[in-house]
Amino acid sequence: MTEPVVENLEEVKVERKDVKGGSLASTFKLFKDVLKRDKMAMFGVVVLIFFILVAAFAPLIAPYDPYEMNRTEDGAIARLEPPSAQHWFGTTNLGRDVFSQVVMGSRIALLVGFLAAFLVTFIGTNVGLIAGYYGGAIDNFLMRVVDIMYALPFIPFVIILVALLDPSIWNIILAISLLTWRTVARIIRSQVLSVANRPFIKAAKVAGASDLRIMYKYIAPNIIPIALLEMAFMVSWAILAEASVSFIGFGDPDVISWGQILHTSFLTGAIRTAWWWVIPPGVAIVLVLVAIFFTARAFEEIVNPRLRRR
Amino acid sequence: MPLLEVNNLGIDYITEKGTLEAVRDVSFTLEKGKNLGLVGESGCGKTTVAKSLMKLLPSNGVISEGEIIFKGQDVVEMTKEEVRQIRWNDISMIAQSAMNAMDPVYKIKDQIIEAIKTHQPQVSKTEAIERAAKLFELVGLERKRLESYPHQLSGGMKQRTIIAMALALSPALVIADEPTTALDVVVQDRILHQIIKLQQEINSSMVFITHDISVVAETCDQIIVMYGGRIAEIGSTRDFFKDTHHPYGLGLQNAFPSIKEIGERLISIPGSPPNLINPKPGCRFAPRCPFVEDICYAEMPDLIEIKPGHYSACHFTDKIDQFRKEAKLRETWERVKERQIKKQLTR
Amino acid sequence: MIKMVLKRLGQTILSLVVVATIIFFMFRLMPGDPTAAVVDPSISTEAREAMIQRLGLDQPLYQQYFSFLSDAVRGDLGRSFYYRRPVMEVIGDKVINTLMLMLSAMLIAYVIGILVGAYLAWKRGSKKEATLISIALTFRSAPTFWVGMLFIMFFSFRLGWFPHSGMRSSGYEAANTFEVFFSLDFLRHLFLPAVVAGLYFLATPLLMMRNTMLEVLGEDFIEMCHAKGLKEKVILYRHAARNALLPVVTTGALFLGQAIGGQVLIEYVFGWPGLGTEIIQAAQRHDYPLAQASFLLIALMVMIMNFLADLLYSYLDPRITYK
């Protein structure tokens, strides 16, 4: 037997208010609300903006040419000088200014991070969209490909690919993108499956809209928040991967990156003495990654209401 | 001395939006071997009352006032450890959803033994298994089912297992929270009778929670109709069904037909139970009551004694004969619906 | 049960073949001289041509592919340019070193993660919870090689407590095989890399355990356990934690793939003679056969781990086998 039939006027009204608009504008408004409430998210956004500004104005901020061999007053090369007023983060074994290197390095980290993440999200979203929308054999095939991608360990794959190609940031971005779209594709696909069953999609089909139109005009706007969220996580993957590859010496030789700074300091054995050469670039990486994580987590709370704190 | 005596019980839930007054001014007594039925729609506080008897409220629930005297001791005042010791040993529970009431990763056997050995550590494992087997026989399950995992049992078997488990320590009081709701109708009746038979065998009392008053009619000596966390009507089952005195009780009876009325469309009570965060003054049922007058919105009615042991919380217990006649008519309740819609629109 | 094992085994072998295929074509289809991936470019032209012929590199690609596969099945993955020995001889015993490090790190991460995670669920919403989670997340975000460098800087060079590199002290000779892995010297070398890798892994079991515990604690059977009058500790560990373990174990297995990726760099920083160090050095030396083989072995290890974890999962959850 069921509960007595209750015609609930109040509930119906509330439900209507709760229907998710899913539009980008309302998502960002919600995001602002979360920022006000969540101190960690606020910290994340502030740090992120800070690093973006540093990267944008790096040449103005860096006090020295990062490759310049600085000399002390008596003309000798300022090798492994600890931090001082002239050199905030000290100098390298060749007398180069660590602070300037770290500032310049922020450019590569953010460039690789955002470009690779964008590429990965673009590929993954489209694959997920196609697999989820068409289903059947297409879906099966694409998901098998994703499964196999999951069997490839990420960092070793990137190392080998970059070693086979010439070291350049483009090849690093390519190597990162080739593998990581698997995660995005899987998540987007499951999201598409749930969206595709909503009444308005069925209505569009009945009305004779083409597949492409349904996929990109009607379904895509509903999955953009999730795609953006995945992109945020991919940014940190990409930054970490770039740092790792550069650390073992496959970085682009023409640009300075944080991984590369650590590569040189590790090879020259600076960790025995020159902590100032080791700690700043690492702290920079950690700060950016943690900032992205907290920002993404706040964003996740909006995209996935189940996670919202009660 | 009665087995259980509840006086002026009040229970709050602390929520983000404010304090929810889940239960207020609930008092009743239960004699040994007798059954009490708690009825009302969901959200009326019946489960909250029942769970408070063994202090099983969720973490944000607090007993804010009153006392629960069980075997001469106030449960409200007991320490955690004291409560733990009376649980299952003295008061056990047949859970609402037998489906998920058992740990999926252990055999049935181990879960029954665990209950026995927690409270009677001197019992050996073989003895405990024997006892479990005997209980299974009583509820009509094969002995080999003891070796099963919960997911291997059907809904009915799970419910029987839960019943067997609840009786494992021959508790003085069994709380049955909608024990048959999840089952299909045919099984429902059989299990209901089984519960009653077993309970009589071990001479325990029972608190029966249900929204289905026909179940109460068959099983309980006494009935409490709850609405909005308060007692609307309390009395012996006979008195209640013969001589209902609260409009809510009349409405509930409409929603469950007796056999001869089958085939007729049921009349339901429009609207839903009130929000108990900062509740409005006056009778909680007023917004849904077809006989509402101005005083109902202003003043909370007291429980009025109709005859010894039978109370109703309505301002107009004297007009009950007229209410009873009108409550049988569909138009009476349609009026309430119209009233509610009008109110929605003007808001 | 046996059917399921066989099915999973079949899937594992299939994906291994696919991965091998991807790797084969990745190395052969690179820009530049395709034979450079197999024949040492530093040797003389005549020797080179003889080698190309001997290895069948003048044959069509598909024939090369099938002989590569059949050689691989027999355990022949070519010769290392750098060591000038068969690849399998070079990395055969590296596998065990990598496993030793990974298992120690996993042990650290899972024991701490599961216990602390269960505790955090119990203490939900406290300051302690927020702090512990932030620490775990910081170690997950930080590049492993950098944390390794910091640990070396501090514990090896500043304090001198642990060796900074390698797996055993030079000149140290183990009396027998047992002592290779269970001597104090080995453990001292193992400690830092295992702790760094363990800290990196920690966030996964910790958060998983906490979240599933929170979910499990809200389930009906937990209330039933309370009603039964069980002691809190019994409910927390025998019932809630036991149920929460299931998803923690499976995600743990899937996570091994990423984990090995992180460990590669830890091995390199600590000079740990494992597959990770080998693959990096091979890549740096353009020793392609060795890099290729190391990659295949790492992938194989990931797959075996996933396979084993699947079996463990069906053992832990009685519902799986009956489906």
Side-chain angles (χ1 to χ4, degrees):
Chain A
M1 230 168 271
T2 49
E3 297 266 318
V5 188
V6 173
E7 278 129 69
N8 195 335
L9 297 166
E10 267 183 14
E11 249 172 44
V12 173
K13 208 174 158 209
V14 174
E15 257 175 47
R16 225 175 263 142
K17 239 188 282 168
D18 246 12
V19 169
K20 266 203 350 197
S23 79
L24 225 48
S26 73
T27 308
F28 278 108
K29 196 194 162 298
L30 274 169
F31 187 61
K32 267 201 295 194
D33 292 343
V34 173
L35 282 192
K36 271 183 215 147
R37 189 150 45 80
D38 185 346
K39 264 183 259 159
M40 299 300 236
M42 197 63 191
F43 165 82
V45 171
V46 169
V47 171
L48 208 54
I49 292 175
F50 170 77
F51 272 99
I52 290 173
L53 289 178
V54 168
F57 301 104
L60 299 178
I61 298 168
Y64 302 90
D65 179 337
Y67 292 113
E68 185 190 336
M69 289 192 188
N70 295 289
R71 288 172 190 277
T72 52
E73 273 162 31
D74 48 8
I77 293 174
R79 291 180 198 278
L80 292 178
E81 296 263 332
S84 62
Q86 278 96 35
H87 303 288
W88 290 0
F89 292 169
T91 59
T92 73
N93 63 331
L94 294 177
R96 289 170 177 159
D97 181 51
V98 177
F99 177 71
S100 303
Q101 292 197 339
V102 171
V103 167
M104 294 304 283
S106 63
R107 299 192 127 185
I108 287 306
L110 294 184
L111 181 72
V112 171
F114 282 100
L115 264 183
F118 180 76
L119 209 57
V120 166
T121 313
F122 183 77
I123 303 172
T125 305
N126 279 293
V127 171
L129 202 53
I130 291 167
Y133 180 73
Y134 286 105
I138 298 177
D139 181 28
N140 242 324
F141 170 73
L142 288 173
M143 285 304 113
R144 283 298 82 74
V145 174
V146 166
D147 281 347
I148 286 161
M149 293 304 226
Y150 266 100
L152 297 169
F154 178 57
I155 293 283
F157 180 84
V158 175
I159 289 172
I160 287 197
L161 204 59
V162 175
L164 283 172
L165 304 163
D166 289 329
S168 80
I169 58 166
W170 306 111
N171 286 336
I172 292 174
I173 290 174
L174 175 76
I176 295 169
S177 313
L178 266 181
L179 209 52
T180 39
W181 59 268
R182 57 192 183 182
T183 325
V184 184
R186 223 181 232 187
I187 289 164
I188 293 297
R189 171 182 169 271
S190 63
Q191 188 67 15
V192 170
L193 284 181
S194 79
V195 173
N197 276 328
R198 296 219 194 127
F200 71 97
I201 300 295
K202 288 185 178 154
K205 265 187 208 170
V206 173
S210 71
D211 285 346
L212 274 183
R213 192 177 160 82
I214 293 176
M215 275 161 65
Y216 290 99
K217 180 105 199 263
Y218 298 109
I219 298 181
N222 285 286
I223 53 173
I224 280 180
I226 295 245
L228 282 177
L229 174 65
E230 281 314 302
M231 188 167 133
F233 288 120
M234 287 301 143
V235 173
S236 30
W237 270 95
I239 290 178
L240 201 55
E242 189 279 328
S244 305
V245 173
S246 304
F247 174 68
I248 56 175
F250 292 119
D252 191 326
D254 300 332
V255 291
I256 286 184
S257 83
W258 292 332
Q260 222 170 17
I261 303 175
L262 289 168
H263 170 71
T264 328
S265 72
F266 183 66
L267 278 191
T268 55
I271 47 175
R272 282 169 195 274
T273 46
W275 54 268
W276 57 86
W277 192 2
V278 175
I279 291 178
V283 168
I285 297 174
V286 173
L287 273 179
V288 170
L289 296 189
V290 168
I292 292 171
F293 178 80
F294 282 130
T295 312
R297 203 184 55 165
F299 193 61
E300 190 169 20
E301 239 183 86
I302 295 152
V303 176
N304 188 353
R306 225 162 54 91
L307 296 177
R308 266 178 224 171
R309 264 159 258 169
R310 264 161 273 166
Chain B
M1 184 180 70
L3 177 71
L4 176 70
E5 189 180 337
V6 174
N7 292 320
N8 290 322
L9 186 63
I11 298 170
D12 292 339
Y13 287 121
I14 314 297
T15 72
E16 218 174 52
K17 290 173 194 151
T19 303
L20 188 150
E21 300 179 12
V23 170
R24 280 289 177 279
D25 293 331
V26 168
S27 307
F28 61 89
T29 56
L30 182 61
E31 299 293 335
K32 199 166 186 302
K34 297 282 183 199
N35 292 352
L36 167 75
L38 275 176
V39 295
E41 290 157 292
S42 31
C44 282
K46 25 184 202 23
T47 301
T48 303
V49 168
K51 287 201 172 145
S52 71
L53 301 181
M54 54 202 298
K55 275 214 185 157
L56 210 57
L57 296 171
S59 56
N60 64 337
V62 278
I63 298 177
S64 53
E65 57 186 21
E67 46 185 23
I68 298 168
I69 315 285
F70 178 78
K71 285 186 172 171
Q73 267 187 304
D74 188 358
V75 176
V76 179
E77 299 295 322
M78 280 185 191
T79 63
K80 263 190 178 172
E81 179 58 20
E82 285 168 332
V83 173
R84 190 182 72 73
Q85 283 173 8
I86 65 161
R87 282 177 183 172
W88 223 252
N89 213 3
D90 292 294
I91 307 178
S92 72
M93 184 175 87
I94 299 171
Q96 189 164 16
S97 55
M99 295 299 155
N100 309 316
M102 278 176 286
D103 190 327
V105 301
Y106 294 106
K107 290 180 178 173
I108 304 289
K109 173 179 81 173
D110 297 322
Q111 303 194 38
I112 298 181
I113 293 173
E114 185 181 39
I116 295 175
K117 290 208 66 144
T118 301
H119 296 284
Q120 299 174 357
Q122 74 283 3
V123 177
S124 76
K125 206 174 161 182
T126 32
E127 269 178 79
I129 293 181
E130 272 319 302
R131 213 194 281 182
K134 212 178 272 166
L135 285 163
F136 260 44
E137 212 174 284
L138 284 175
V139 295
L141 284 171
E142 295 164 273
R143 188 194 175 109
K144 66 168 197 226
R145 287 294 173 194
L146 283 171
E147 300 291 331
S148 304
Y149 286 99
H151 69 277
Q152 295 169 298
L153 303 183
S154 70
M157 289 200 258
K158 271 188 210 167
Q159 195 53 275
R160 282 165 212 250
T161 307
I162 295 284
I163 293 166
M165 212 186 279
L167 301 177
L169 298 167
S170 309
L173 177 64
V174 178
I175 296 166
D177 189 355
E178 309 264 14
T180 58
T181 314
L183 304 173
D184 63 74
V185 187
V186 185
V187 188
Q188 265 185 8
D189 215 44
R190 254 206 328 259
I191 290 204
L192 209 56
H193 284 105
Q194 217 152 31
I195 295 178
I196 300 301
K197 204 184 89 201
L198 289 171
Q199 171 240 343
Q200 279 162 356
E201 225 159 275
I202 62 171
N203 195 25
S204 63
S205 305
M206 184 143 77
V207 172
F208 220 107
I209 302 164
T210 179
H211 60 267
D212 179 349
I213 54 173
S214 56
V215 169
V216 179
E218 289 178 52
T219 53
C220 295
D221 306 291
Q222 208 188 0
I223 182 167
I224 294 178
V225 178
M226 288 193 67
Y227 188 80
R230 291 175 164 271
I231 293 181
E233 189 163 357
I234 175 170
S236 72
T237 310
R238 249 173 61 97
D239 286 343
F240 173 75
F241 281 100
K242 236 178 61 200
D243 195 23
T244 314
H245 261 75
H246 197 283
Y248 182 58
L250 292 171
L252 280 183
Q253 287 185 22
N254 277 340
F256 287 90
S258 59
I259 301 291
K260 44 185 178 178
E261 285 165 295
I262 245 169
E264 247 180 85
R265 238 184 88 211
L266 299 181
I267 305 171
S268 59
I269 309 171
S272 56
N275 178 358
L276 295 176
I277 297 174
N278 302 320
K280 297 191 184 84
C283 177
R284 298 264 156 95
F285 188 57
R288 299 170 72 192
C289 183
F291 316 113
V292 67
E293 309 245 343
D294 286 346
I295 184 172
C296 300
Y297 288 115
E299 247 176 72
M300 177 88 71
D302 290 324
L303 275 171
I304 295 161
E305 184 164 30
I306 296 146
K307 65 184 231 190
H310 187 185
Y311 299 83
S312 168
C314 180
H315 289 298
F316 301 104
T317 42
D318 46 333
K319 287 199 202 163
I320 190 66
D321 289 330
Q322 180 201 338
F323 286 1
R324 234 176 254 153
K325 228 179 282 156
E326 287 182 26
K328 288 219 170 70
L329 304 173
R330 189 174 298 278
E331 300 87 75
T332 312
W333 301 95
E334 293 286 336
R335 277 208 311 272
V336 178
K337 200 166 172 182
E338 279 160 30
R339 198 173 77 207
Q340 286 170 349
I341 291 173
K342 222 177 279 166
K343 216 168 162 195
Q344 287 278 324
L345 293 178
T346 51
R347 210 164 25 184
Chain C
M1 182 74 186
I2 290 173
K3 217 171 130 194
M4 196 211 76
V5 174
L6 287 178
K7 196 177 152 209
R8 283 288 297 128
L9 197 64
Q11 285 171 348
T12 306
I13 291 170
L14 187 71
S15 26
L16 187 65
V17 172
V18 176
V19 168
T21 307
I22 293 174
I23 290 305
F24 173 84
F25 286 104
M26 207 165 102
F27 277 87
R28 299 307 150 89
L29 299 179
M30 279 304 129
D33 179 5
T35 56
V38 193
V39 183
D40 194 340
S42 63
I43 59 178
S44 72
T45 322
E46 296 92 75
R48 204 175 136 76
E49 260 156 29
M51 186 79 117
I52 286 178
Q53 204 153 32
R54 193 161 61 79
L55 293 175
L57 293 181
D58 45 357
Q59 288 170 345
L61 199 59
Y62 73 91
Q63 272 184 17
Q64 291 185 38
Y65 170 61
F66 285 114
S67 55
F68 162 76
L69 277 191
S70 63
D71 284 352
V73 169
R74 274 183 274 118
D76 176 9
L77 289 166
R79 288 177 72 85
S80 159
F81 300 163
Y82 179 81
Y83 295 99
R84 304 194 183 276
R85 279 192 294 147
V87 160
M88 286 312 280
E89 250 180 68
V90 177
I91 54 176
D93 54 337
K94 303 285 159 73
V95 173
I96 196 98
N97 298 345
T98 289
L99 269 178
M100 276 314 269
L101 177 57
M102 186 175 77
L103 293 181
S104 326
M106 278 283 170
L107 193 72
I108 293 172
Y110 270 74
V111 169
I112 298 177
I114 285 171
L115 290 177
V116 177
Y119 173 78
L120 288 185
W122 208 246
K123 296 269 160 212
R124 170 184 204 185
S126 64
K127 259 237 165 75
K128 232 186 255 166
E129 187 200 18
T131 321
L132 282 170
I133 289 181
S134 305
I135 291 174
L137 283 175
T138 308
F139 276 113
R140 167 52 56 80
S141 312
T144 49
F145 57 88
W146 180 66
V147 177
M149 286 167 82
L150 290 186
F151 271 54
I152 292 173
M153 214 158 76
F154 193 69
F155 293 104
S156 300
F157 292 132
R158 183 74 35 109
L159 297 173
W161 289 355
F162 297 99
H164 71 276
S165 177
M167 200 170 82
R168 50 186 66 95
S169 309
S170 56
Y172 176 86
E173 286 287 334
N176 52 46
T177 0
F178 180 79
E179 272 201 7
V180 172
F181 293 119
F182 294 93
S183 62
L184 192 64
D185 183 60
F186 173 75
L187 291 179
R188 269 167 47 88
H189 281 84
L190 175 67
F191 187 82
L192 282 187
V195 166
V196 171
L199 283 172
Y200 169 71
F201 299 154
L202 181 64
T204 303
L206 184 95
L207 290 180
M208 274 300 297
M209 190 65 192
R210 171 184 165 275
N211 294 350
T212 23
M213 272 294 273
L214 282 179
E215 239 166 72
V216 171
L217 285 174
E219 285 193 27
D220 289 342
F221 74 83
I222 293 295
E223 186 186 47
M224 194 68 173
C225 287
H226 283 289
K228 271 156 99 175
L230 304 185
K231 295 193 172 124
E232 293 227 339
K233 249 194 222 135
V234 173
I235 299 175
L236 180 61
Y237 286 105
R238 196 193 293 166
H239 293 280
R242 173 71 173 72
N243 273 277
L245 268 182
L246 306 173
V248 175
V249 168
T250 27
T251 45
L254 292 175
F255 157 72
L256 277 174
Q258 302 173 30
I260 288 189
Q263 185 178 324
V264 164
L265 289 151
I266 293 176
E267 284 187 11
Y268 175 69
V269 169
F270 285 97
W272 187 262
L275 284 177
T277 305
E278 216 52 65
I279 199 174
I280 290 175
Q281 285 178 346
Q284 287 170 341
R285 293 164 181 152
H286 296 280
D287 187 348
Y288 294 120
L290 190 57
Q292 176 176 308
S294 310
F295 185 87
L296 273 178
L297 275 187
I298 290 177
L300 178 68
M301 277 168 68
V302 175
M303 285 180 221
I304 291 176
M305 292 291 167
N306 286 356
F307 174 66
L308 291 180
D310 256 16
L311 296 193
L312 181 63
Y313 186 63
S314 59
Y315 169 74
L316 282 178
D317 188 346
R319 280 166 298 187
I320 295 280
T321 43
Y322 291 96
K323 258 177 203 163

Coordinates of all heavy atoms in Angstrom, one line a residue, chain C residues 172-203:
Chain C
Y172 N 79.0 -2.8 -0.5 CA 78.2 -3.7 0.3 C 77.9 -4.9 -0.5 O 77.4 -4.9 -1.6 CB 76.9 -3.0 0.7 CG 76.0 -3.8 1.5 CD1 76.2 -3.9 2.9 CD2 75.0 -4.6 0.9 CE1 75.3 -4.8 3.7 CE2 74.2 -5.4 1.7 CZ 74.3 -5.5 3.0 OH 73.5 -6.3 3.8
E173 N 78.2 -6.1 0.1 CA 77.9 -7.3 -0.5 C 76.9 -8.1 0.3 O 77.2 -8.4 1.5 CB 79.2 -8.2 -0.7 CG 80.1 -7.7 -1.8 CD 79.5 -8.0 -3.2 OE1 78.8 -8.9 -3.3 OE2 79.9 -7.2 -4.1
A174 N 75.7 -8.4 -0.2 CA 74.8 -9.2 0.5 C 75.2 -10.6 0.7 O 75.8 -11.2 -0.2 CB 73.4 -9.1 -0.2
A175 N 75.0 -11.2 1.9 CA 75.5 -12.5 2.2 C 74.6 -13.5 1.4 O 75.0 -14.6 1.0 CB 75.4 -12.8 3.6
N176 N 73.3 -13.2 1.2 CA 72.4 -14.1 0.5 C 71.3 -13.2 -0.1 O 71.2 -12.1 0.2 CB 71.9 -15.2 1.3 CG 71.3 -14.6 2.6 OD1 70.5 -13.7 2.6 ND2 71.6 -15.2 3.7
T177 N 70.4 -13.9 -0.9 CA 69.4 -13.1 -1.6 C 68.4 -12.5 -0.6 O 67.9 -11.4 -0.8 CB 68.5 -14.1 -2.5 OG1 69.0 -15.4 -2.4 CG2 68.5 -13.6 -3.9
F178 N 68.2 -13.2 0.5 CA 67.3 -12.6 1.5 C 67.8 -11.2 1.9 O 67.0 -10.3 2.0 CB 67.1 -13.6 2.6 CG 66.2 -13.1 3.7 CD1 64.8 -13.2 3.6 CD2 66.7 -12.5 4.9 CE1 64.0 -12.7 4.6 CE2 65.9 -12.0 5.9 CZ 64.5 -12.1 5.7
E179 N 69.1 -11.2 2.2 CA 69.6 -10.0 2.7 C 69.7 -8.8 1.7 O 69.8 -7.7 2.1 CB 71.1 -10.3 3.3 CG 71.0 -10.7 4.7 CD 72.3 -10.5 5.4 OE1 73.2 -9.9 4.8 OE2 72.4 -11.0 6.5
V180 N 69.5 -9.2 0.4 CA 69.5 -8.1 -0.5 C 68.4 -7.1 -0.2 O 68.6 -5.9 -0.3 CB 69.4 -8.7 -2.0 CG1 69.2 -7.5 -3.0 CG2 70.6 -9.5 -2.3
F181 N 67.3 -7.7 0.2 CA 66.1 -6.8 0.4 C 65.8 -6.6 1.9 O 64.9 -5.8 2.2 CB 64.9 -7.4 -0.3 CG 65.1 -7.3 -1.8 CD1 65.1 -8.4 -2.6 CD2 65.3 -6.1 -2.4 CE1 65.2 -8.3 -4.0 CE2 65.4 -6.0 -3.8 CZ 65.4 -7.1 -4.6
F182 N 66.4 -7.4 2.7 CA 66.0 -7.2 4.1 C 67.1 -6.9 5.1 O 67.1 -7.3 6.2 CB 65.2 -8.5 4.6 CG 63.9 -8.6 3.9 CD1 63.8 -9.4 2.7 CD2 62.8 -8.0 4.3 CE1 62.6 -9.5 2.1 CE2 61.6 -8.1 3.6 CZ 61.5 -8.9 2.5
S183 N 68.1 -6.2 4.5 CA 69.2 -5.8 5.4 C 68.9 -4.3 5.8 O 68.1 -3.6 5.2 CB 70.5 -5.8 4.6 OG 70.4 -4.9 3.5
L184 N 69.5 -3.9 6.9 CA 69.4 -2.6 7.3 C 69.8 -1.6 6.3 O 69.2 -0.5 6.1 CB 70.2 -2.4 8.6 CG 69.8 -1.1 9.4 CD1 68.4 -1.2 9.9 CD2 70.8 -1.0 10.6
D185 N 70.9 -1.9 5.6 CA 71.4 -1.0 4.6 C 70.4 -0.8 3.5 O 70.1 0.4 3.1 CB 72.7 -1.7 3.9 CG 73.3 -0.7 2.9 OD1 73.7 0.4 3.3 OD2 73.4 -1.2 1.7
F186 N 69.7 -1.8 3.1 CA 68.6 -1.7 2.0 C 67.5 -0.8 2.6 O 67.0 0.1 1.9 CB 68.1 -3.1 1.6 CG 66.9 -3.0 0.7 CD1 67.1 -2.7 -0.6 CD2 65.7 -3.2 1.2 CE1 66.0 -2.6 -1.5 CE2 64.6 -3.2 0.4 CZ 64.7 -2.8 -1.0
L187 N 67.1 -1.1 3.8 CA 65.9 -0.4 4.3 C 66.3 1.1 4.5 O 65.4 2.0 4.2 CB 65.5 -0.9 5.7 CG 64.9 -2.3 5.6 CD1 64.6 -2.8 7.0 CD2 63.7 -2.4 4.7
R188 N 67.5 1.4 4.8 CA 67.9 2.8 4.9 C 67.8 3.5 3.6 O 67.5 4.7 3.5 CB 69.3 2.9 5.5 CG 69.4 3.1 7.0 CD 70.8 2.9 7.5 NE 71.8 3.6 6.8 CZ 72.2 4.9 7.1 NH1 71.6 5.5 8.1 NH2 73.0 5.5 6.3
H189 N 68.2 2.8 2.5 CA 68.1 3.4 1.2 C 66.7 3.5 0.7 O 66.3 4.4 0.0 CB 68.9 2.5 0.2 CG 70.3 2.8 0.2 ND1 71.2 2.1 1.1 CD2 71.1 3.6 -0.5 CE1 72.4 2.5 0.9 NE2 72.4 3.4 -0.1
L190 N 65.9 2.5 1.2 CA 64.5 2.5 0.8 C 63.6 3.6 1.4 O 62.7 4.1 0.8 CB 63.9 1.1 1.1 CG 62.4 0.9 0.9 CD1 62.1 0.9 -0.6 CD2 61.9 -0.4 1.5
F191 N 64.0 4.0 2.6 CA 63.1 4.8 3.4 C 62.7 6.1 2.7 O 61.5 6.3 2.6 CB 63.8 5.1 4.8 CG 62.9 5.8 5.7 CD1 62.0 5.2 6.5 CD2 62.9 7.2 5.8 CE1 61.1 5.8 7.3 CE2 62.1 7.9 6.7 CZ 61.2 7.2 7.4
L192 N 63.6 6.9 2.3 CA 63.3 8.2 1.7 C 62.4 8.1 0.5 O 61.3 8.7 0.4 CB 64.5 9.1 1.5 CG 65.1 9.8 2.7 CD1 66.2 10.7 2.2 CD2 64.1 10.5 3.5
P193 N 62.8 7.3 -0.5 CA 62.0 7.3 -1.7 C 60.6 6.7 -1.4 O 59.6 7.1 -1.9 CB 62.7 6.3 -2.7 CG 63.9 5.8 -1.9 CD 64.1 6.6 -0.8
A194 N 60.5 5.7 -0.5 CA 59.2 5.1 -0.2 C 58.3 6.1 0.5 O 57.1 6.2 0.2 CB 59.4 3.9 0.7
V195 N 58.9 6.9 1.4 CA 58.1 7.9 2.1 C 57.6 9.0 1.1 O 56.4 9.4 1.1 CB 58.9 8.5 3.3 CG1 58.2 9.8 3.8 CG2 59.0 7.5 4.4
V196 N 58.5 9.4 0.2 CA 58.1 10.4 -0.7 C 57.0 9.9 -1.6 O 56.0 10.6 -1.9 CB 59.3 10.9 -1.6 CG1 58.8 11.8 -2.7 CG2 60.3 11.7 -0.7
A197 N 57.2 8.7 -2.2 CA 56.1 8.1 -3.0 C 54.8 7.9 -2.2 O 53.7 8.1 -2.7 CB 56.6 6.8 -3.6
G198 N 55.0 7.4 -1.0 CA 53.8 7.2 -0.1 C 53.0 8.5 0.1 O 51.8 8.5 0.1
L199 N 53.8 9.5 0.4 CA 53.1 10.8 0.6 C 52.3 11.3 -0.6 O 51.2 11.8 -0.6 CB 54.1 11.9 1.0 CG 54.5 11.8 2.5 CD1 55.7 12.8 2.7 CD2 53.4 12.1 3.4
Y200 N 52.9 11.0 -1.8 CA 52.3 11.3 -3.0 C 51.0 10.5 -3.2 O 50.0 11.1 -3.6 CB 53.3 11.1 -4.2 CG 52.6 11.2 -5.6 CD1 52.2 12.4 -6.1 CD2 52.4 10.1 -6.4 CE1 51.6 12.5 -7.3 CE2 51.9 10.1 -7.6 CZ 51.4 11.4 -8.1 OH 50.8 11.4 -9.3
F201 N 51.1 9.2 -2.9 CA 49.9 8.4 -3.1 C 48.8 8.7 -2.1 O 47.6 8.4 -2.3 CB 50.3 6.9 -2.9 CG 51.3 6.4 -3.9 CD1 52.1 5.3 -3.7 CD2 51.4 7.0 -5.2 CE1 53.0 4.8 -4.6 CE2 52.3 6.5 -6.1 CZ 53.1 5.4 -5.8
L202 N 49.2 9.2 -0.9 CA 48.4 9.2 0.3 C 47.0 9.8 0.1 O 46.0 9.3 0.5 CB 49.1 10.0 1.4 CG 48.3 10.1 2.7 CD1 48.1 8.8 3.4 CD2 49.0 11.1 3.7
A203 N 46.9 10.9 -0.7 CA 45.6 11.6 -0.8 C 44.5 10.7 -1.4 O 43.3 10.8 -1.0 CB 45.8 12.8 -1.8

